[in-house]
Amino acid sequence: MHHEDDYTRRLKRLDCCAVSDALDKLGLAGTVTGLPQRSGTQRIAGRAVTVKLIEAKAHAAAQAAQAANVTGGSVSTAPRHLGTTAIEFAGPGDVIVVEQHTGLDAGSWGGILSLGASLRGIEGVIADGPVRDIDEARQYGFPVFARALTAFTARNRVAEAGTNVPVSVGTVSVSPGDYVIADNSAVIFIAVQHIERVLTAAEHIAGKEAAMAKKLLNGVPIAQVMGADYEYMLANHG
């Protein structure tokens, strides 16, 4: 479990557009679109706790192979519901990130999980795949960003391959502990080794945008504000 650190607090004061512009300026990937906010209204930010899902039949085959390789011929395969390990591990300052790329129309997250995560103080969930029970998440005010919505259960369709393992969201690779920010514009992932310079660049851009807005309010023509000022702001200086 992570606790909210200074980087997370700084990230929460920004929005995804400023952070995306900072990534562009630095030549870094990390911005993912097409994952709209399905519940909750607030922007979220924190550290990634990852969950990788695979087809249930592939998971069952892997377990059977594992059992066959154990002396004595069996291992414990007590069922554990997907997402529960991540919830027990995570807390305030954490965002659960789920990969469900099987192509199956099956929930990668659900209502009881949303309640459990909300009670733990987890910031929210980002699911690259379908989620179910979205009305329950809305009732709890728990932020869920997801590729699609469904009513189909994960049972006998998808299963958890691992928690806190590398995953991918869109075309972005995500490692456990990476920084995450998500709002109605995008979901963005920032590797730990890049967080300081991304935040510095994004804070500079946000400051410039605030100054541009002030100029508009003071009567400066918008063509002037959105011309040289805006292009200079996004240029790769410094």
Side-chain angles (χ1 to χ4, degrees), residues 60-116:
Q63 285 191 318
Q66 181 185 6
N69 289 329
V70 172
T71 302
S74 67
V75 295
S76 173
T77 56
R80 187 174 179 88
H81 194 285
L82 62 86
T84 56
T85 301
I87 290 172
E88 290 175 354
F89 177 83
D94 292 318
V95 176
I96 294 179
V97 180
V98 184
E99 174 194 313
Q100 205 278 66
H101 292 170
T102 67
L104 297 174
D105 188 3
S108 56
W109 190 261
I112 298 297
L113 294 176
S114 289
L115 177 58

Side-chain angles (χ1 to χ4, degrees), residues 68-201:
N69 289 329
V70 172
T71 302
S74 67
V75 295
S76 173
T77 56
R80 187 174 179 88
H81 194 285
L82 62 86
T84 56
T85 301
I87 290 172
E88 290 175 354
F89 177 83
D94 292 318
V95 176
I96 294 179
V97 180
V98 184
E99 174 194 313
Q100 205 278 66
H101 292 170
T102 67
L104 297 174
D105 188 3
S108 56
W109 190 261
I112 298 297
L113 294 176
S114 289
L115 177 58
S118 178
L119 292 172
R120 292 278 293 176
I122 294 166
E123 306 293 329
V125 168
I126 295 163
D128 195 357
V131 301
R132 61 184 303 209
D133 301 317
I134 198 63
D135 290 330
E136 292 180 38
R138 290 171 180 166
Q139 178 183 342
Y140 308 136
F142 183 69
V144 174
F145 296 76
R147 186 71 68 184
L149 301 178
T150 187
F152 286 109
T153 179
R155 191 174 299 109
N156 299 321
R157 293 187 175 97
V158 297
E160 185 172 311
T163 298
N164 270 342
V165 296
V167 299
S168 62
V169 178
T171 60
V172 176
S173 297
V174 183
S175 296
D178 282 354
Y179 285 87
V180 186
I181 181 171
D183 62 20
N184 283 294
S185 292
V187 172
I188 298 178
F189 301 96
I190 307 161
V192 172
Q193 65 267 30
H194 299 312
I195 187 63
E196 174 60 46
R197 62 191 186 123
V198 171
L199 282 171
T200 298

